[in-house]
Amino acid sequence: MAIVSSVIAKVRSTVPESSDMWTDSLIVSVVHQADMIVRETCEMTWNTTDITLVANAIYYPLPVDVIGVGAVQFSEDGTDFTKHICWPTTMDDLDSANWFWRKVTGTRPTHYGLVGAPGASASRILLWPAIGTADGQVVRVKYLQSYVNNNLSMIAAQCPEWIIDSVYLPLTLGLLYGTSKPDAAQAHLQRAFDAILDARGNYLNPANDAMPVDMAPFISRIGGEFGGQWL
Amino acid sequence: MIYSTIETLFGQMTGDTLRIVFTEAQRLAWAQDAVREACRRSGAVEIRAVIQSVADQQEYDLPSDCDCALRVTYDGKVMAPTLQSLLRSSNPSWQNYSGTPSMYYVDELNGKFGLYFKPAISSAIDPYEGEYGMPLYDANGDPVTGGEFGMIVDPSDASDITSEFGVGTIVGAVSDTYIEVFYQANAPEWGAADVPPIPQWSHGLILFWMLSKAYESEGPMQDLARSALWSMLAERQINRLAVRSKARLQKTFQRNHDGSLAYEPSVTDRFLDDATA
């Protein structure tokens, strides 16, 4: 179910006098704010970006709609990404292994790290080792996506209706009432934040259709069958 | 999202679309406060600065937005941190020596960092020009592929944007003996026409902070209950940013593509596996 249009309709039916208080345009803008909160907490949407490698380069920018990096895969020619993955690491780990790691080159990166939290313009992904010769090698970064702009993609975004009812609607009402009725806003917000963790479970369940099939091995709840840990 | 989008929504939510109660300057100041607080508490903004080394120059200015230097490298090698007091106690004439730097110290009072030894040589500088997203070519028309200066991957890489199409000039080091400073940044300078420099998914905290300050301020719209509500939301978002910043990498890796349990090689193993020095 489309999030934006559903929330507008539900706001209008829940609050009969809403037409006198809030325009559709304002509600859409507030839904966008709510969407960024929900999408970050529930980890709803995965996307990919391809980075063409440059000889001797270690640091590359990431898109600004990145919340977090899930996996990094390598391809010799930009077509087959199933053979090689990069392991997460930090500069401290690399420094402790070899002080000259920055000068090392190879045929493909085997590790990745992050300089700064992703999503800021100054943040970078570190791919090590740098390749010695650029020949069309590509790295694919799978990342949690946020709709940072109030655009057509955000307008068209969908999610199950129960999440709209339990999270999006009260969160939107809480933000709308925040400038007029703080008590009512507080009640709506509390409802939304109580339900948001339940919604998160929907997206972190590897058996759920909402989970991209090829991402299932990379993420799971703490202590789950697939092991591993995400935050 | 660009600041003007946040500011427009602020006006719509407070009803002050004409900026009569809250001026533009007030709004921008609150927004900058929000970003400053978020950067300080989350450590989300880390920057890599490249500084040209100069022969026999001991000290260099830290970038103006540096809050905490995390590591310093010279010629691609990470240097060990030290203190001027330790250097003085080991050798009173420590400032007279030049060679290949192996240690660095930070003089926070004066916003500088220093190298020991002083570099014996300067890193060479050649200017390059190129268009955003395209490889660079030098004055001879030859492609430049050295290190990170081989392509303007982001307009921020260009030291000087010379046209609206993103053609820029990059100062690139021919030799490797430049200095890298990795630091946690205070909020970099930004203005009303810019995108606030924190991760964009967290830009909601700027709106919430602005609303909190607006309802807290003396005037006809003061309402401390509303201010407290928006302050709570801003705090929540700052805490989320701090969590995402401090736990930005996956802790462990799970399985191979075929579902078998993955072995996580040590970094040392990978050095032996693929690397050629």
Side-chain angles (χ1 to χ4, degrees):
Chain A
M1 175 167 278
I3 297 171
V4 172
S5 56
S6 299
V7 171
I8 292 175
K10 289 174 190 286
V11 166
R12 297 298 185 210
S13 67
T14 305
V15 185
E17 66 274 20
S18 62
S19 299
D20 300 327
M21 300 194 300
W22 310 310
T23 62
D24 277 5
S25 167
L26 175 61
I27 296 176
V28 171
S29 297
V30 171
V31 171
H32 176 226
Q33 295 298 321
D35 181 72
M36 286 199 290
I37 292 173
V38 177
R39 212 163 281 279
E40 185 273 322
T41 309
C42 295
E43 301 181 355
M44 291 164 69
T45 309
W46 292 89
N47 202 354
T48 61
T49 185
D50 289 349
I51 299 174
T52 301
L53 299 184
V54 176
N56 301 306
I58 299 174
Y59 308 102
Y60 298 85
L62 286 171
V64 294
D65 61 347
V66 175
I67 300 172
V69 172
V72 177
Q73 300 162 308
F74 171 83
S75 168
E76 299 277 353
D77 56 4
T79 57
D80 182 5
F81 289 92
T82 60
K83 292 191 171 55
H84 300 292
I85 55 176
C86 297
W87 304 92
T89 188
T90 65
M91 272 196 254
D92 285 342
D93 286 343
L94 293 168
D95 286 340
S96 63
N98 182 347
W99 285 9
F100 283 101
W101 63 267
R102 289 171 184 80
K103 290 179 160 277
V104 169
T105 60
T107 54
R108 65 174 176 90
T110 56
H111 289 76
Y112 77 93
L114 294 169
V115 181
S121 57
S123 67
R124 297 287 184 267
I125 185 168
L126 173 167
L127 297 170
W128 178 87
I131 53 169
T133 306
D135 191 20
Q137 300 95 329
V138 176
V139 148
R140 176 164 289 171
V141 179
K142 296 199 172 188
Y143 64 93
L144 276 170
Q145 183 185 28
S146 176
Y147 291 133
V148 296
N149 293 310
N150 186 358
N151 56 20
L152 292 176
S153 295
M154 200 280 293
I155 302 282
Q158 311 224 344
C159 79
E161 186 175 9
W162 70 268
I163 294 180
I164 294 176
D165 288 338
S166 62
V167 179
Y168 274 96
L169 178 60
L171 188 52
T172 301
L173 286 171
L175 296 176
L176 287 167
Y177 275 125
T179 54
S180 57
K181 298 179 183 177
D183 290 342
Q186 181 68 45
H188 286 297
L189 291 170
Q190 192 60 53
R191 239 184 82 209
F193 290 134
D194 286 345
I196 209 166
L197 292 180
D198 198 17
R200 176 181 165 88
N202 179 74
Y203 291 97
L204 292 190
N205 183 351
N208 194 303
D209 285 347
M211 174 69 68
V213 169
D214 60 343
M215 282 304 300
F218 292 99
I219 44 179
S220 75
R221 281 174 287 191
I222 296 170
E225 176 193 342
F226 290 96
Q229 178 180 346
W230 175 251
L231 291 180
Chain B
M1 69 188 87
I2 199 165
Y3 166 72
S4 61
T5 304
I6 302 170
E7 198 259 348
T8 299
L9 184 53
F10 170 88
Q12 291 172 337
M13 293 181 75
T14 56
D16 185 28
T17 53
L18 299 179
R19 302 185 184 89
I20 296 172
V21 180
F22 307 115
T23 65
E24 279 190 54
Q26 270 181 310
R27 298 171 188 213
L28 182 59
W30 289 330
Q32 289 174 336
D33 280 348
V35 170
R36 202 171 297 125
E37 184 69 6
C39 283
R40 184 185 68 80
R41 285 170 52 180
S42 68
V45 181
E46 289 179 13
I47 296 177
R48 167 182 171 263
V50 176
I51 299 170
Q52 305 301 331
S53 62
V54 178
D56 286 329
Q57 179 174 329
Q58 189 113 55
E59 294 190 344
Y60 301 80
D61 291 332
L62 282 169
S64 59
D65 57 353
C66 175
D67 179 46
C68 168
L70 300 173
R71 67 179 51 74
V72 178
T73 76
Y74 175 82
D75 194 17
K77 178 188 165 191
V78 69
M79 292 189 287
T82 187
L83 300 171
Q84 293 183 76
S85 56
L86 290 178
L87 292 171
R88 271 196 298 274
S89 63
S90 68
N91 184 349
S93 307
W94 65 276
Q95 289 172 306
N96 297 336
Y97 294 91
S98 65
T100 301
S102 60
M103 291 190 278
Y104 76 95
Y105 60 88
V106 177
D107 179 359
E108 287 188 359
L109 198 63
N110 295 304
K112 293 181 182 292
F113 70 97
L115 305 180
Y116 177 74
F117 304 107
K118 295 185 286 190
I121 58 175
S122 302
S123 53
I125 300 170
D126 269 346
Y128 305 119
E129 287 192 3
E131 188 177 330
Y132 168 52
M134 301 298 290
L136 291 178
Y137 294 86
D138 67 9
N140 297 321
D142 295 328
V144 176
T145 57
E148 292 81 358
F149 306 109
M151 177 183 289
I152 304 181
V153 294
D154 186 272
S156 64
D157 293 330
S159 61
D160 178 34
I161 301 293
T162 56
S163 84
E164 64 183 14
F165 300 109
V167 176
T169 302
I170 281 185
V171 175
V174 173
S175 71
D176 287 330
T177 56
Y178 54 78
I179 305 164
E180 289 174 301
V181 179
F182 294 86
Y183 63 96
Q184 188 172 300
N186 289 318
E189 289 295 321
W190 63 281
D194 298 327
V195 175
I198 53 175
Q200 292 202 23
W201 61 264
S202 69
H203 278 186
L205 72 88
I206 300 173
L207 172 68
F208 304 153
W209 184 283
M210 290 169 69
L211 288 166
S212 170
K213 293 302 175 189
Y215 286 112
E216 185 184 58
S217 63
E218 296 284 340
M221 293 185 67
Q222 187 181 49
D223 186 316
L224 297 182
R226 296 179 201 184
S227 175
L229 178 85
W230 292 112
S231 176
M232 179 270 293
L233 284 168
E235 284 292 313
R236 182 190 182 278
Q237 286 303 94
I238 292 175
N239 288 336
R240 291 301 304 167
L241 181 59
V243 167
R244 287 277 174 192
S245 174
K246 290 172 173 39
R248 65 185 69 150
L249 284 175
Q250 291 170 263
K251 300 294 190 294
T252 61
F253 235 48
Q254 289 79 18
R255 288 173 182 260
N256 295 319
H257 295 277
D258 62 358
S260 60
L261 191 62
Y263 163 66
E264 181 184 358
S266 69
V267 171
T268 309
D269 289 347
R270 284 296 174 187
F271 272 101
L272 297 174
D273 182 12
D274 285 316
T276 57

